[in-house]
Amino acid sequence: MSSLSFAGRVAVITGAGGGLGREYALEFAKRGAQVVVNDLGGSFKGEGSSTLLADQVVKEIINAGGKAVANYDSVENGEQIIKTAIQEFGKVDILINNAGILRDRSFSKMSDKDWEQIFKVHVDGAFKCTQAVWPYMQKQKFGRIIMTSSPAGLYGNFGQANYSAAKAALIGLMNTLSIEGKKANINVNVIAPLAETRMTADILPGAGLLPEHVAPFVVFMCHESCVDTGIILEAAGGFACKTRLQRSQGIQLRKYIGDKPTVECVQKNWTKISDFSLSCNPRSVQEASNKIMESIGDLPSEPLSTSASLLEKVRSYKFPSITVIYDQNDIIKYALSVGSSLPDDSQFLYEGHANFSAIPTFAAILSQKAVFSELAEGNIPGMDMIDLSKVLHGEQFIEIFKPIPTSGQFTVKGQIRDILDKHKFCQFIIDVNVFDAKNELVCMSQFVLLFIGSKGIGHRGKYDGQKPTLFPPKRKPDHVVEEVTSINQAALYRLNGDFNPLHIDPQISSMLGFEKPLLHGLCTYGYALRHVLKAYANNDASFFKSIKAQFSKPVIPGQTIMTEMWHEANRVYYQVKVKETGDVVIKGGYVDFHKELKGQSSVSASAHSYGIDSSLQSSHAMKKIEDSLKTADEAVLKQINGSFLFQITKENKLAGEWLLNFNQFPVTVTYGVPITKPDVTITINDDDFVLIATGKLNPMQAFSQGKLKAFGKVILALKLGDIFKSVSSKL
């Protein structure tokens, strides 16, 4: 690793006569910077002055071969400190506002002088020095400024009300200057250090928290390679972490534009206001304001009339928007919970796969909390008339508008579109939209919930916005997939957030009239989509557009699911049965794709085939391999007995695929996604493949270094060694 140089840079460090400031000055000088060592030379309480401290540090730097000058001004005269740097070195690139004093008192005993003196040094001093250096940095289009806060400024500390307030003020100053300095490449950050210095000698005696443990973090933040600005870094004893503000999910208490929240309403919702389980961290005033303005924008202009019907009240009710955060672990957990397994489903299970992606029905997981938490909490008008224990999931629709990222933070908004009176039950139709950080619609889900026994609620008829069920053509299925579910499948699926005891507690399921706990309907839904994607899109989720299902009967964990499929153009109709009973558990289902598919089996090749990318170096290598195979000893080729799919990547994206099939003769080399499952799938970068093909990179070495990834019957890949050896001399 090359060392970070500060040659040609000029650094001004206040309070550099000892402690942290001294350590910063020595480190910058050692790395080639010219340093202005500022120190008033007074006591840690801000009393007196002396040239001794600054002179000693300057002497150390010069004796070590560095360049430095001393400055003895108070930081309250910041312009004089910067003037020294300009006169001696002609510019300033780095400013470390490090100078500080302590005047600790309990708040009841604190004098005006105690308060004012702390602010004069810490806040006014940082302001004066920064204001003086700002125009120079703006003109040269470069600057690095560090404000020094403290754990006391972040968290408070007894006896330090003055010090804590001043240190917190510097965070506010940094927040604004980091915004104003961006255009001029002036980065402004905060360090909140904890170290043994003159100021903390009585507080941290013998703790081993030395200034040299903090200095590397500050020095790096001032290097041109560090692009961070507007951050708070805590550092002590070699440990460092970024710290940021968080805000809770929050809740809008007004019901309409002219409404006013009451104190009692605040009391009732205080737990929600305080709930940080779905917290976020706005990075700007604009981002922070957007959430507030969105909640106001969702309010109706006026309240419903007192004579409004229950249906009108429900239709006008909007669920509070919630924040959902997930990462690749949640994507993989979901894939496992709907039966994904290796090697076939590696792109849904392995974050290092070239096509790692979310199964599209993961959209239901993003949406479900917005629906079920709001129903359970009884905030929706008329829910006191509903028996929530008798809810059934009737239908589900999902549409994807842009690929679901494998991690991120999203805003989820739901609304009840209609309630239908079905005589023996009522039917809730709920739409949920999921937006990304850019406020772009990622996906929508439509939940159709049935509340058995809840009569006379809603209206008779239909809702035009309800996504229809569609039944398959009257012919035998074009394709059928069978898969045995695990006895633990419901227990695994619960980890996605649906903790209804019906799916795991035999006593609860018995009370509700079922012999055994049931598999979640949405779990079966996920299985069905997996089967369709595998049969008709080679597991490529990017082709997926939408999926509809009507749940008709339950599945017991351990039973065999049969997905029957009928393909027509860009639509695949499907229904799901339980093999052991013959029961249809999902009916009226269909999956729509963005492109027209050309038929099962040949579908994959047709939907995914593309011309060979001539820019790939692998294209030339594969042609040589193909030519070599034509003249190779057939007996040797038959011993390989396997098929190998090479997934070639470029800039971390899949760029091309070749299948070498030794299961047939003559051996074939085919470009494009295969229509049959390979025995081994190998993912490798274009450049590294050529290095292996030319004998310049050992395959086992590439595998151990993570450059080559293999799935399936990996041991077969060892048999390819002789093939590559015969080709390497021709490349």
Side-chain angles (χ1 to χ4, degrees):
M1 183 185 298
S2 59
S3 61
L4 297 182
S5 172
F6 285 83
R9 296 296 188 195
V10 176
V12 174
I13 304 160
T14 67
L20 288 164
R22 171 183 173 274
E23 203 61 42
Y24 301 155
L26 295 176
E27 188 65 28
F28 276 115
K30 184 174 72 175
R31 295 176 177 272
Q34 300 169 90
V35 182
V36 175
V37 178
N38 161 261
D39 204 294
L40 180 63
S43 72
F44 72 87
K45 292 185 177 182
E47 298 166 344
S49 63
S50 169
T51 61
L52 181 62
L53 293 176
D55 287 344
Q56 286 178 336
V57 176
V58 169
K59 185 177 180 181
E60 283 186 77
I61 291 172
I62 293 174
N63 288 344
K67 294 183 180 180
V69 296
N71 175 277
Y72 317 110
D73 288 294
S74 166
V75 287
E76 295 175 65
N77 299 316
E79 65 277 4
Q80 294 301 318
I81 301 172
I82 302 305
K83 185 177 180 181
T84 298
I86 298 300
Q87 289 175 341
E88 294 292 332
F89 302 123
K91 65 171 184 172
V92 182
D93 300 295
I94 297 160
L95 170 63
I96 312 293
N97 288 302
N98 173 72
I101 62 171
L102 284 177
R103 296 180 75 94
D104 291 354
R105 298 276 194 282
S106 64
F107 188 64
S108 61
K109 297 178 181 178
M110 188 167 292
S111 67
D112 289 351
K113 185 178 180 180
D114 293 330
W115 180 271
E116 291 164 0
Q117 198 61 31
I118 289 290
F119 268 77
K120 281 182 180 179
V121 174
H122 291 272
V123 182
D124 295 353
F127 165 71
K128 289 289 188 180
C129 291
T130 305
Q131 190 180 51
V133 81
W134 198 258
Y136 295 103
M137 290 183 171
Q138 281 184 312
K139 186 176 181 179
Q140 67 195 21
K141 300 294 183 184
F142 181 87
R144 297 291 186 266
I145 298 173
I146 301 292
M147 304 289 181
T148 304
S149 185
S150 163
L154 294 171
Y155 311 111
N157 195 32
F158 185 87
Q160 292 190 311
N162 51 358
Y163 183 74
S164 298
K167 289 303 188 184
L170 290 172
I171 295 173
L173 179 59
M174 175 274 292
N175 283 334
T176 292
L177 293 186
S178 66
I179 296 170
E180 293 188 15
K182 271 186 180 179
K183 288 184 178 180
N185 189 27
I186 303 173
N187 292 355
V188 187
N189 294 301
V190 158
I191 184 76
L194 194 61
E196 294 179 30
T197 65
R198 283 194 304 156
M199 285 173 56
T200 62
D202 296 333
I203 304 172
L204 299 169
L209 302 176
L210 304 180
E212 53 261 44
H213 297 156
V214 174
F217 302 107
V218 171
V219 172
F220 171 70
M221 286 195 291
C222 295
H223 194 264
E224 60 195 35
S225 65
C226 180
V227 297
D228 282 11
T229 188
I231 70 164
I232 303 168
L233 191 79
E234 293 187 72
F239 170 85
C241 61
K242 286 186 178 181
T243 302
R244 65 189 186 189
L245 291 174
Q246 279 189 307
R247 72 193 306 183
S248 66
Q249 175 71 39
I251 183 172
Q252 172 60 260
L253 298 183
R254 292 158 65 195
K255 302 302 182 186
Y256 54 92
I257 293 296
D259 193 18
K260 296 179 181 179
T262 65
V263 176
E264 290 73 22
C265 189
V266 173
Q267 181 189 40
K268 179 183 176 182
N269 289 279
W270 192 250
T271 300
K272 287 184 179 180
I273 293 170
S274 307
D275 182 8
F276 278 89
S277 60
L278 289 171
S279 60
C280 60
N281 57 299
R283 296 172 178 84
S284 67
V285 171
Q286 291 76 18
E287 190 176 336
S289 300
N290 283 345
K291 178 69 178 288
I292 298 170
M293 298 312 295
E294 281 178 16
S295 74
I296 295 172
D298 287 339
L299 292 172
S301 58
E302 56 186 32
L304 288 171
S305 68
T306 55
S307 61
S309 67
L310 174 61
L311 184 59
E312 289 174 318
K313 291 178 181 178
V314 171
R315 282 175 173 169
S316 68
Y317 182 81
K318 293 183 179 180
F319 295 180
S321 63
I322 66 170
T323 301
V324 173
I325 302 171
Y326 68 87
D327 58 21
Q328 63 189 26
N329 293 333
D330 299 295
I331 296 293
I332 295 168
K333 178 174 62 180
Y334 175 75
L336 289 169
S337 76
V338 294
S340 296
S341 61
L342 295 173
D344 291 2
D345 303 317
S346 57
Q347 66 267 52
F348 303 131
L349 295 173
Y350 175 41
E351 71 284 357
H353 193 282
N355 287 332
F356 179 56
S357 56
I359 297 174
T361 42
F362 181 70
I365 304 303
L366 296 178
S367 306
Q368 65 186 9
K369 185 170 183 179
V371 175
F372 295 108
S373 62
E374 197 64 13
L375 289 173
E377 290 177 12
N379 294 323
I380 302 170
M383 289 311 295
D384 55 335
M385 302 169 62
I386 301 289
D387 186 351
L388 292 177
S389 69
K390 295 183 179 180
V391 61
L392 295 178
H393 197 159
E395 299 176 16
Q396 183 70 36
F397 176 82
I398 289 172
E399 184 170 3
I400 305 297
F401 298 96
K402 57 188 298 188
I404 298 176
T406 53
S407 64
Q409 180 172 308
F410 301 84
T411 300
V412 183
K413 299 179 179 182
Q415 185 170 10
I416 298 175
R417 294 300 183 184
D418 212 343
I419 303 178
L420 304 180
D421 182 1
K422 295 294 185 178
H423 187 57
K424 292 184 179 181
F425 60 87
C426 69
Q427 185 181 85
F428 276 53
I429 301 166
I430 304 171
D431 285 353
V432 181
N433 292 324
V434 178
F435 300 88
D436 62 17
K438 296 180 181 179
N439 203 33
E440 294 178 354
L441 182 62
V442 176
C443 58
M444 73 83 64
S445 298
Q446 186 177 86
F447 293 78
V448 178
L449 305 181
L450 314 179
F451 293 91
I452 307 303
S454 298
K455 307 174 185 178
I457 301 174
H459 69 97
R460 304 303 293 269
K462 65 178 183 178
Y463 168 58
D464 290 338
Q466 183 173 350
K467 304 299 180 180
T469 52
L470 300 174
F471 291 91
K474 293 182 178 180
R475 66 173 187 263
K476 289 184 178 180
D478 299 327
H479 193 65
V480 180
V481 173
E482 293 185 11
E483 187 170 358
V484 180
T485 62
S486 166
I487 193 70
N488 298 314
Q489 205 65 51
L492 182 58
Y493 190 86
R494 293 178 80 247
L495 299 179
N496 293 308
D498 186 345
F499 294 108
N500 188 335
L502 169 65
H503 302 292
I504 199 167
D505 190 329
Q507 290 185 327
I508 297 295
S509 60
S510 177
M511 287 171 54
L512 295 175
F514 301 101
E515 291 184 6
K516 295 180 179 180
L518 310 180
L519 189 61
H520 304 70
L522 285 176
C523 182
T524 308
Y525 188 60
Y527 266 87
L529 180 59
R530 277 186 44 246
H531 295 163
V532 174
L533 284 177
K534 184 176 180 181
Y536 289 94
N538 201 47
N539 273 350
D540 189 340
S542 68
F543 283 89
F544 173 88
K545 181 183 179 184
S546 59
I547 179 172
K548 174 70 179 187
Q550 183 180 89
F551 306 107
S552 50
K553 286 193 176 182
V555 178
I556 305 298
Q559 289 182 328
T560 305
I561 289 175
M562 297 173 56
T563 303
E564 299 176 336
M565 295 166 258
W566 294 260
H567 166 234
E568 292 193 354
N570 65 332
R571 173 170 289 167
V572 175
Y573 299 89
Y574 74 94
Q575 69 177 13
V576 181
K577 293 180 178 178
V578 171
K579 183 177 182 180
E580 291 81 358
T581 64
D583 290 339
V584 176
V585 295
I586 290 182
K587 61 183 180 181
Y590 53 91
V591 176
D592 283 343
F593 292 91
H594 288 295
K595 294 184 179 181
E596 181 175 342
L597 306 176
K598 301 299 183 182
Q600 206 276 323
S601 290
S602 62
V603 162
S604 296
S606 176
H608 291 262
S609 62
Y610 36 79
I612 295 178
D613 185 348
S614 59
S615 70
L616 292 175
Q617 299 180 66
S618 311
S619 301
H620 175 67
M622 278 295 182
K623 185 66 173 67
K624 292 294 184 182
I625 291 173
E626 185 175 14
D627 293 341
S628 177
L629 291 173
K630 292 176 182 178
T631 58
D633 187 338
E634 185 173 319
V636 174
L637 297 181
K638 285 185 176 180
Q639 290 177 5
I640 295 178
N641 193 29
S643 58
F644 306 85
L645 177 65
F646 285 85
Q647 295 183 324
I648 306 300
T649 64
K650 198 171 184 179
E651 297 178 352
N652 295 319
K653 294 182 179 179
L654 184 64
E657 295 180 278
W658 277 270
L659 180 73
L660 276 64
N661 191 351
F662 294 86
N663 289 324
Q664 60 185 35
F665 292 92
V667 175
T668 58
V669 179
T670 308
Y671 185 76
V673 176
I675 61 175
T676 58
K677 175 185 172 183
D679 294 305
V680 185
T681 299
I682 297 169
T683 303
I684 188 168
N685 176 272
D686 185 42
D687 295 332
D688 292 330
F689 177 82
V690 174
L691 291 176
I692 289 177
T694 55
K696 297 177 182 178
L697 176 63
N698 181 283
M700 290 303 295
Q701 182 182 6
F703 181 79
S704 64
Q705 292 175 348
K707 295 180 178 180
L708 181 153
K709 296 165 185 174
F711 311 92
K713 301 175 182 177
V714 179
I715 197 69
L716 285 177
L718 298 176
K719 297 182 180 182
L720 291 176
D722 291 337
I723 300 297
F724 281 105
K725 284 180 183 177
S726 67
V727 176
S728 61
S729 60
K730 302 176 184 179
L731 292 172

